[in-house]
Amino acid sequence: NAGVTQTPKFQVLKTGQSMTLQCAQDMNHEYMSWYRQDPGMGLRLIHYSVGAGITDQGEVPNGYNVSRSTTEDFPLRLLSAAPSQTSVYFCASSYRSGTGRATGELFFGEGSRLTVL
Amino acid sequence: TQLLEQSPQFLSIQEGENLTVYCNSSSVFSSLQWYRQEPGEGPVLLVTVVTGGEVKKLKRLTFQFGDARKDSSLHITAAQPGDTGLYLCAGAPRRGSSYKLIFGSGTRLLVRP
């Protein structure tokens, strides 16, 4: 069972470089989100999507772009990497219940550890 | 901005002891969840509480949602080394908004054999 798959697991960038963190889910979930996790700060929401073609900003969106062209994929793009973006990034998905609302359970990938020098 | 504060940040106890982790906010949440995260992995859902005053039990873990839906607690009875991990509480600001949860900073638990 693949679930939520993130690639790469580890990446080192130099300041100013750009890159894309990939996220794919095979559960046909409508909702997908990107979080970053920093020591002592829990997880903070970067961007989220409620369906293909629909994205919105979370708490800390600056410096990141997302798109959702398919239900399965939700890539996160770093436009010009900065040392402040050194973090562990988690992609998560969740599904809509029969009531039409999100069910409440987030399914997370294993994370992508990014270091910006 | 809604915030969730967890305490303690770090807890080191002996196997067999009991412990309680707290998750507090000045804001009301429609639901609150507890996740456990192990090193190198993503968080995994333990429980969701929805109703004020609700208590849920998962084996030796007891979860409670405050009457006013602003706080929650996790109590572990007779902790075991397998309980070691990072415990995160997360709140949904509005009903049906659980795809954009607000997370607490986490409680790192170490249970020594």
Side-chain angles (χ1 to χ4, degrees), chain B residues 26-47:
Chain B
S26 58
S27 304
V28 175
F29 289 93
S30 67
S31 65
L32 202 136
Q33 301 177 341
W34 286 90
Y35 289 80
R36 183 167 72 198
Q37 183 180 17
E38 303 202 13
E41 298 181 6
V44 176
L45 180 68
L46 295 174
V47 77

Side-chain angles (χ1 to χ4, degrees), chain A residues 17-81:
Chain A
Q17 288 184 318
S18 62
M19 78 156 299
T20 299
L21 298 177
Q22 301 291 345
C23 176
Q25 53 97 2
D26 62 358
M27 298 174 284
N28 202 32
H29 286 176
E30 292 87 352
Y31 307 103
M32 297 187 74
S33 312
W34 274 103
Y35 289 85
R36 59 177 288 174
Q37 185 173 36
D38 302 294
M41 300 186 72
L43 284 89
R44 292 181 293 168
L45 182 64
I46 304 172
H47 285 285
Y48 65 94
S49 169
V50 300
I54 306 170
T55 64
D56 205 348
Q57 297 180 349
E59 180 187 357
V60 288
N62 292 341
Y64 307 95
N65 272 355
V66 292
S67 60
R68 183 104 180 265
S69 57
T70 66
T71 299
E72 294 79 18
D73 299 302
F74 192 43
L76 178 72
R77 298 182 185 84
L78 281 71
L79 309 174
S80 177

Side-chain angles (χ1 to χ4, degrees), chain B residues 5-66:
Chain B
E5 296 184 355
Q6 280 187 245
S7 61
Q9 287 188 317
F10 182 75
L11 197 53
S12 178
I13 61 171
Q14 203 72 31
E15 180 177 3
E17 293 183 355
N18 301 331
L19 67 116
T20 301
V21 177
Y22 300 93
C23 178
N24 295 300
S25 177
S26 58
S27 304
V28 175
F29 289 93
S30 67
S31 65
L32 202 136
Q33 301 177 341
W34 286 90
Y35 289 80
R36 183 167 72 198
Q37 183 180 17
E38 303 202 13
E41 298 181 6
V44 176
L45 180 68
L46 295 174
V47 77
T48 300
V49 285
V50 178
T51 305
E54 183 176 4
V55 176
K56 281 191 174 180
K57 291 191 175 183
L58 185 65
K59 297 184 181 178
R60 294 176 293 99
L61 280 61
T62 301
F63 305 86
Q64 184 164 6
F65 202 10

